[in-house]
């Protein structure tokens, strides 16, 4: 029996097992397709390391149940961030846009006051181009291994600057 024949034989069984494990998910939903793809991936991994299972139908049933159980467990532990405003709310609310711009301006002003290489390092980390550590290290002419400790030192300096500005503003009564 070729792999194509095994796949053709298992496809309807896989769809039925997924429907049994995810009764609320209709065929073709993202959740059902994700589970099917995960099971196919597990089969390919097994074929590459151990060969075909002795009883493909039993293996498929057990794998679908195992993966569905793992997904339910993971989903229970995942929680959305409660502190972040929804993107569309922040973009549509003029007050939120102004406050965000003011926070960004204050951050960049504090970054410019950092000592040594810190302004360039933090500027690269804040870059909208989402540079990798390797790219940042090359741009700054430093080793990638020293980037982490340098970043920590610079962030500590930035925290102290930002904390002192908040304290000054609070003492003036502008809080």
């Amino acid at each position: 029996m070729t792999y194509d024949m095994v796949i053709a034989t298992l496809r309807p069984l896989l769809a039925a097992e997924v429907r049994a494990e995810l009764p609320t998910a209709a065929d073709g939903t993202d959740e059902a397709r994700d589970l099917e793809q995960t099971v196919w991936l597990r089969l390919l991994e097994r074929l590459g390391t151990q060969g075909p299972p002795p009883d493909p139908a039993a293996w498929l049933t057990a794998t679908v149940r195992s993966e569905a159980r793992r997904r339910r467990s993971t989903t229970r532990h995942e929680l959305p961030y409660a502190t972040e405003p929804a993107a569309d709310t922040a973009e549509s609310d003029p007050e939120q846009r102004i406050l965000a711009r003011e926070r960004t301006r204050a951050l960049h002003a504090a970054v410019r006051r950092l000592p040594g290489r810190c302004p360039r390092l933090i500027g690269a980390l804040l870059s909208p181009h989402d540079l990798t550590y390797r790219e940042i290290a090359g741009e700054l002419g430093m080793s990638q291994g020293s980037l982490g400790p340098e970043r920590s030192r610079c962030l500590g300096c930035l925290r102290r600057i930002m904390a002192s500005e908040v304290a000054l503003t609070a003492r003036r009564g502008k809080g």
Side-chain angles (χ1 to χ4, degrees):
M1 187 178 259
T2 67
Y3 289 138
D4 291 336
M5 291 173 67
V6 170
I7 290 172
T9 305
L10 293 179
R11 182 170 279 129
L13 178 59
L14 176 59
E17 288 294 335
V18 167
R19 276 193 304 275
E21 284 299 318
L22 304 173
T24 58
D27 287 340
T29 62
D30 287 342
E31 188 178 6
R33 281 194 307 260
D34 285 349
L35 183 56
E36 284 184 23
Q37 287 179 355
T38 301
V39 173
W40 285 124
L41 178 63
R42 297 292 169 259
L43 178 60
L44 288 173
E45 289 170 346
R46 179 183 169 93
L47 291 173
T49 59
Q50 302 169 7
D55 184 359
W59 178 89
L60 185 92
T61 301
T63 304
V64 168
R65 289 179 182 160
S66 170
E67 288 298 323
R69 189 173 41 253
R70 186 185 59 75
R71 285 173 183 265
R72 282 190 295 269
S73 173
T74 302
T75 303
R76 267 193 303 263
H77 299 293
E78 291 176 347
L79 299 173
Y81 290 116
T83 58
E84 294 185 48
D88 57 351
T89 305
E91 291 173 6
S92 63
D93 184 5
E95 182 180 2
Q96 291 300 319
R97 283 196 314 259
I98 291 170
L99 289 172
R101 276 196 302 263
E102 182 59 28
R103 283 191 299 270
T104 301
R105 187 203 59 73
L107 174 64
H108 286 283
V111 167
R112 285 191 297 274
R113 291 194 305 273
L114 288 169
R117 294 191 282 198
C118 290
R120 288 187 62 213
L121 174 59
I122 300 298
L125 291 170
L126 292 173
S127 169
H129 302 295
D130 197 25
L131 303 172
T132 64
Y133 264 32
R134 177 176 290 176
E135 293 167 332
I136 293 170
E139 187 177 301
L140 298 177
M142 59 192 296
S143 73
Q144 192 173 340
S146 64
L147 195 58
E150 183 80 12
R151 177 198 59 132
S152 295
R153 188 181 65 75
C154 293
L155 288 175
C157 291
L158 183 60
R159 274 189 216 96
R160 286 189 292 281
I161 289 172
M162 296 298 286
S164 67
E165 285 184 6
V166 169
L168 286 174
T169 305
R171 269 188 266 155
R172 289 188 211 137
K174 293 184 180 178

